[in-house]
Amino acid sequence: MSKANGLPPLREVIARHGLNARRGLGQHFLLDGNLCDRIARAAGNLSQTHVIEIGPGPGGLTRSLLQAGAGEVIAVEKDRRCVDALEELADAFGGRLKIVEADALKVDVATLAARPRRIVANLPYNVATPLLIGWLRRIDAFQSLTLMFQREVAERLVARPRSKAYGRLSVITQWLCETRVLFNVDKRAFTPPPKVVSTVVALTPRPAPTAPAAFETLERVTAAAFSQRRKMLRSSLKGLDIDLEALPIEPTARAEELDVQDFCRLARAVAERTPAG
Ligand code: SAM
């Protein structure tokens, strides 16, 4: 880690604050400044932007975001020990770093910063998917999401129909965002190393979803279809009471053969059969 701004090396910060990694918090710290800089660069032009970082830990990526010129970084961290360590960083960067001690699952992060907002994070893997689903629910609040996941989850986010990784998360994410894999990060880059390779993904919210549908209904339809992915739709969607014959979708098709537009058609058909209120 560079000593720019006279900051102490991250290993020293970790030792001084006793930040022995806690597995329950998905703590795998990135101490390689070049790698943190690479993630910050991947997030695009950060000046004039409010960057929301989830799980800053000892602050490696946080430093890179601030050094890359982020207008403001709002760092949401659950672990009190890390919050103490980050306060030193806040002093070094004047008013540009705001630390919020909170469980990111329980906070509407869009309320923490003005627009334009970008989320950048090396996510805690144990809660990465629920965090993402929460942000997708209000995707119009964000300009971009640059996120590190375990590789298997990243593959699901970008998976296309007829592939093994294609599933609920692929459909819902791609319905709302353009998705792109940026690069993999070797396990050995982390302290302590996780069991799996990590991947940085760029999610760019679409100006409008690829087709009309309600979030909850799309969730219900994809859950039903993919929970029995080897079954034909006429069987896996039985409980939803949709007239498949009335749609341009083969009742004998399987979930993985449908594209996002098809799932939106199914969601609209469910909504038509379930009057609101
Ligand atoms: N960003 C740091 C880095 O790259 O070195 C740490 C990344 S580590 C994979 C995940 C971080 O998320 C940890 O600092 C952990 O304490 C924090 N965390 C875990 N669960 C959280 C939650 N529910 N809300 C906020 N932070 C959380």
Side-chain angles (χ1 to χ4, degrees), residues 46-244:
L46 302 180
S47 63
Q48 319 283 324
T49 301
H50 304 271
V51 178
I52 300 166
E53 187 194 358
I54 307 302
L61 179 56
T62 321
R63 292 177 181 199
S64 294
L65 293 166
L66 290 160
Q67 283 161 358
E72 181 190 30
V73 175
I74 299 96
V76 183
E77 174 59 62
K78 192 174 170 185
D79 186 346
R80 174 78 232 175
R81 302 171 309 159
C82 297
V83 171
D84 290 339
L86 290 161
E87 265 151 20
E88 296 172 3
L89 209 55
D91 292 341
F93 284 95
R96 287 199 294 137
L97 173 61
K98 189 169 134 197
I99 306 155
V100 178
E101 182 180 354
D103 179 343
L105 282 170
K106 296 185 181 154
V107 177
D108 176 357
V109 293
T111 62
L112 301 176
R115 289 175 191 267
R117 310 177 190 98
R118 296 181 189 265
I119 302 183
V120 184
N122 167 14
L123 290 174
Y125 294 150
N126 40 349
V127 290
T129 304
L131 282 172
L132 174 62
I133 295 284
W135 301 329
L136 290 174
R137 273 181 204 285
R138 49 169 332 175
I139 194 67
D140 58 328
F142 307 110
Q143 197 175 60
S144 67
L145 294 83
T146 308
L147 304 172
M148 179 139 63
F149 293 92
Q150 57 189 89
R151 181 164 64 184
E152 184 227 338
V153 176
E155 283 170 352
R156 287 201 263 144
L157 296 176
V158 302
R160 299 293 179 220
R162 297 171 192 274
S163 67
K164 213 169 135 199
Y166 186 64
R168 295 171 64 179
L169 202 55
S170 329
V171 173
I172 291 174
T173 309
Q174 293 170 33
W175 174 50
L176 299 168
C177 299
E178 285 186 29
T179 62
R180 204 155 47 94
V181 161
L182 298 181
F183 52 90
N184 290 332
V185 179
D186 193 276
K187 308 177 214 188
R188 289 168 301 185
F190 299 86
T191 304
K195 289 206 176 74
V196 290
V197 174
S198 299
T199 301
V200 179
V201 179
L203 305 181
T204 310
R206 299 181 188 281
T210 48
F215 199 105
E216 273 70 27
T217 325
L218 194 57
E219 275 193 312
R220 267 180 71 201
V221 168
T222 51
F226 284 105
S227 64
Q228 304 183 69
R229 60 187 295 143
R230 268 179 283 277
K231 289 205 173 158
M232 294 177 192
L233 295 169
R234 69 175 170 218
S235 160
S236 58
L237 299 182
K238 215 171 212 157
L240 295 177
D241 194 25
I242 308 171
D243 182 7
L244 285 173

